[in-house]
Amino acid sequence: PVVITRIIGIKDTWIPEPNKNRGCHSFGYTAIKEAYEKTLKRVKALGADQIAFTNYVNFFNFENAQIDGPDKSAVSEKDLRFVATKAREQNLKVILYLNLAPGKEKVSWEIPSASWLSTLIRNWEPFVLDQAKIAEETGIYAIMINHFDYQPGIKGFEDTYQNETLALLKKIRNVYSGKVLIMIEPMSGADLGKLDTLLKQVDGFIYTPTTNILQYERDKTVSVSHLKTLYLNDFAGLGRDFGKYSKPI
């Protein structure tokens, strides 16, 4: 159906040269830039309308919920502007995904406390706002407010998550006029009623279907019909929980 937009995600790798020699910055990232431009042409040939491109920062102290600043993001401001400009030249909209990577830190997938979660979101803020400002100036279509990679479930911390994320959303709106999306995986098992205000205020949802959908099934038959049924059931559940907001997923 025409209402379904075709989006191709660009692999979240951005390196100066194929040999990963970080000393090659002065050469202008020639190899990776050329590869990206060739990829955009391939994306157009496949009939896509948009791309998803990822930038990220790392934890540098998990215990204190401390995160690297925007100056240490994987994709520099100069390169992100290059990415957005080249996509626009191909008439492709850009969705900017954001990652929070463990880096060298050993992370826990259990949120330690409400205060720790508050600190995490507030320390995440400088990076997101920096990306939002660049997104505004380069015409990026949509930006993510939370993050992939480190994405613990927020069950039991819904109030803290909603309050802190709403505060962040307000600041993003002050510098960015595009779409703001939220990834809903961390809300699995959470009380969505306590997140209702936040879910109403964002512009759309990001959802990643599971790649191991047979994992908890008694019937492990690998067939198109069986897998299709399982995925349809998964999407039906997604519709029951989030369809009422009438926002793109």
Side-chain angles (χ1 to χ4, degrees):
V2 293
V3 295
I4 296 179
T5 300
R6 294 173 62 94
I7 305 169
I8 291 182
I10 307 298
K11 183 70 181 77
D12 54 344
T13 300
W14 190 261
I15 52 178
E17 295 291 333
N19 63 10
K20 299 185 180 182
N21 182 350
R22 302 300 294 187
C24 290
H25 286 212
S26 60
F27 291 98
Y29 304 74
T30 301
I32 197 71
K33 284 185 172 182
E34 290 178 353
Y36 172 70
E37 291 193 71
K38 289 178 181 178
T39 298
L40 290 181
K41 293 178 181 178
R42 176 67 174 160
V43 168
K44 288 293 291 186
L46 291 172
D49 306 293
Q50 302 178 18
I51 63 166
F53 186 86
T54 305
N55 200 2
Y56 69 91
V57 286
N58 296 302
F59 274 107
F60 74 83
N61 185 311
F62 179 81
E63 183 178 354
N64 295 322
Q66 293 178 304
I67 300 169
D68 283 337
D71 60 312
K72 294 185 178 180
S73 60
V75 183
S76 70
E77 177 179 345
K78 178 182 178 182
D79 286 342
L80 186 55
R81 290 179 181 276
F82 169 82
V83 165
T85 299
K86 291 301 178 181
R88 191 167 61 247
E89 289 175 0
Q90 295 289 342
N91 293 315
L92 290 166
K93 292 181 178 178
V94 178
I95 298 175
L96 181 59
Y97 283 170
L98 301 178
N99 278 3
L100 173 57
K104 297 180 180 179
E105 289 289 293
K106 182 179 180 180
V107 303
S108 168
W109 295 95
E110 300 291 332
I111 294 173
S113 66
S115 61
W116 183 91
L117 180 58
S118 292
T119 301
L120 178 71
I121 297 172
R122 292 175 188 182
N123 286 342
W124 171 246
E125 178 183 302
F127 173 61
V128 183
L129 291 181
D130 175 76
Q131 298 297 286
K133 291 174 184 176
I134 298 171
E136 176 69 15
E137 293 171 5
T138 56
I140 286 176
Y141 173 70
I143 186 172
M144 185 175 174
I145 193 172
N146 51 354
H147 43 80
F148 284 105
D149 210 343
Y150 182 71
Q151 48 185 41
I154 60 169
K155 181 180 180 180
F157 299 95
E158 293 93 341
D159 291 339
T160 299
Y161 192 81
Q162 173 163 270
N163 292 338
E164 294 293 348
T165 307
L166 281 172
L168 175 56
L169 177 60
K170 183 178 180 180
K171 293 178 181 179
I172 292 174
R173 298 287 194 201
N174 287 335
V175 298
Y176 177 63
S177 59
K179 305 294 185 182
V180 181
L181 311 179
I182 191 166
M183 186 185 63
I184 56 180
E185 276 89 326
M187 301 171 196
S188 177
D191 183 346
L192 297 182
K194 294 181 178 180
L195 298 163
D196 191 64
T197 303
L198 174 61
L199 294 173
K200 286 178 178 176
Q201 290 195 22
V202 295
D203 300 306
F205 307 129
I206 300 170
Y207 175 69
T208 309
T210 180
T211 55
N212 57 350
I213 201 159
L214 291 172
Q215 183 176 1
Y216 300 111
E217 295 297 320
R218 185 172 298 176
D219 181 357
K220 308 273 187 196
T221 302
V222 180
S223 68
V224 172
S225 61
H226 184 49
L227 294 173
K228 182 177 179 180
T229 297
L230 294 176
Y231 276 111
L232 285 173
N233 290 340
D234 187 44
F235 291 158
L238 183 68
R240 285 191 298 271
D241 288 339
F242 296 94
K244 65 181 180 180
Y245 295 103
S246 299
K247 297 178 187 294
I249 298 179

